[in-house]
Amino acid sequence: MKKTILLLLIVVSFYSLKAQESSESSSPGKLYVGAKAGYGITNFESTLKSESNFSKISYNNYSLGILAGYKLNGLISFQLEGNFAQYGARKIIPTYIYSPQSPLLASFGPTSTVDHVDMDIYTIDIPLTIKLSLKEGNFTPYIYGGVNYGINVYGKSSIVRKSTYNEVSDYRTSTDNITQRIISNEFAPVGGCGVMVNMFNLSFFGDVRYKYGFTNLSNVDNGLGFTNSALWVSAGILFEL
């Protein structure tokens, strides 16, 4: 971690010097605000190295948010976001959040059994990042990195039960509030890259971001736990103040 921070400081220092020497630098000290939407692919993993099949990768997650930033100069800016995001896990091992004796997992004879359990966590993500533009102009590629503070506001499980009568199967889903079974706060490093198109005081951007989850999200004292990493593809608009 110390080496990573040192490398980031070196890169920021390099870009700061480059911006000062550039005759094409934009006017410093500009504030901007914006909005964005994202599509996410999430991967929940067990904290036990011996367990590699805690859940299936989840697609079709989403995020919506607002952002504000400060351009230190033509190449460096600081950005703060507030995003509402869904993180889903499919076909989890249910005993990570429920006891094996839980009535929610009970089989009612040979005709009614739990087929699988899904999980969704709804989070307010607050990433703080440093963005480095690779060049100046109307078409600007950039890279960025920072830390994401996640506030888990709601969690639910979807218990899919399979019932069989006369060799005909029927699937029914019930939901359970598991908010108290998920920790409230999470810190995770984030990094990504993107492209910005500048038009007058407006800028349109698209980027790819990876959030590396290493915090155990389980609030259940059973010796088990899980983490959440995610790949986000986002697009949005910025407006300079």
Side-chain angles (χ1 to χ4, degrees):
M1 179 64 74
K2 292 183 179 179
K3 292 182 179 180
T4 302
I5 295 175
L6 179 60
L7 178 61
L8 182 60
L9 290 174
I10 292 174
V11 172
V12 171
S13 299
F14 170 77
Y15 271 85
S16 180
L17 291 173
K18 184 176 179 180
Q20 292 175 6
E21 295 173 356
S22 175
S23 59
E24 299 178 358
S25 293
S26 303
S27 300
K30 286 188 176 180
L31 293 170
Y32 62 87
V33 295
K36 61 181 294 189
Y39 172 88
I41 301 172
T42 68
N43 184 30
F44 284 79
E45 295 183 341
S46 171
T47 55
L48 301 178
K49 294 182 179 180
S50 59
E51 179 57 71
S52 59
N53 194 31
F54 168 69
S55 75
K56 303 295 183 183
I57 293 177
S58 171
Y59 303 90
N60 298 326
N61 299 281
Y62 65 87
S63 70
L64 296 170
I66 57 175
L67 57 90
Y70 179 78
K71 287 185 177 181
L72 186 64
N73 50 48
L75 297 176
I76 301 176
S77 58
F78 298 91
Q79 185 166 293
L80 180 67
E81 303 175 26
N83 303 312
F84 180 76
Q86 171 191 328
Y87 293 92
R90 301 294 171 255
K91 297 186 176 181
I92 68 171
I93 299 176
T95 50
Y96 274 63
I97 56 175
Y98 296 111
S99 70
Q101 295 78 30
S102 172
L104 294 173
L105 305 180
S107 296
F108 303 115
T111 61
S112 180
T113 60
V114 173
D115 185 76
H116 66 273
V117 177
D118 298 333
M119 177 174 66
D120 291 290
I121 300 176
Y122 298 90
T123 301
I124 296 176
D125 285 335
I126 308 175
L128 176 62
T129 57
I130 301 175
K131 183 165 64 176
L132 307 176
S133 299
L134 301 182
K135 71 171 188 176
E136 297 181 76
N138 294 331
F139 185 82
T140 306
Y142 60 86
I143 59 175
Y144 63 91
V147 62
N148 181 78
Y149 175 58
I151 304 173
N152 298 318
V153 295
Y154 177 66
K156 74 172 183 178
S157 65
S158 299
I159 303 169
V160 181
R161 186 172 291 276
K162 177 182 179 181
S163 299
T164 304
Y165 299 96
N166 297 324
E167 298 184 354
V168 177
S169 296
D170 178 48
Y171 294 88
R172 296 187 178 184
T173 302
S174 61
T175 60
D176 183 42
N177 188 331
I178 59 170
T179 305
Q180 299 304 317
R181 298 173 181 268
I182 308 297
I183 67 167
S184 300
N185 306 303
E186 175 196 12
F187 284 95
V190 294
C193 61
V195 173
M196 184 174 298
V197 179
N198 303 307
M199 299 175 61
F200 305 105
N201 287 338
L202 293 177
S203 297
F204 301 90
F205 69 90
D207 67 32
V208 178
R209 170 181 300 173
Y210 184 72
K211 186 198 86 166
Y212 175 69
F214 62 88
T215 302
N216 180 7
L217 299 180
S218 175
N219 198 34
V220 180
D221 187 15
N222 59 1
L224 303 173
F226 50 88
T227 61
N228 170 33
S229 298
L231 180 69
W232 288 99
V233 179
S234 301
I237 185 171
L238 303 178
F239 177 75
E240 289 190 356
L241 300 178

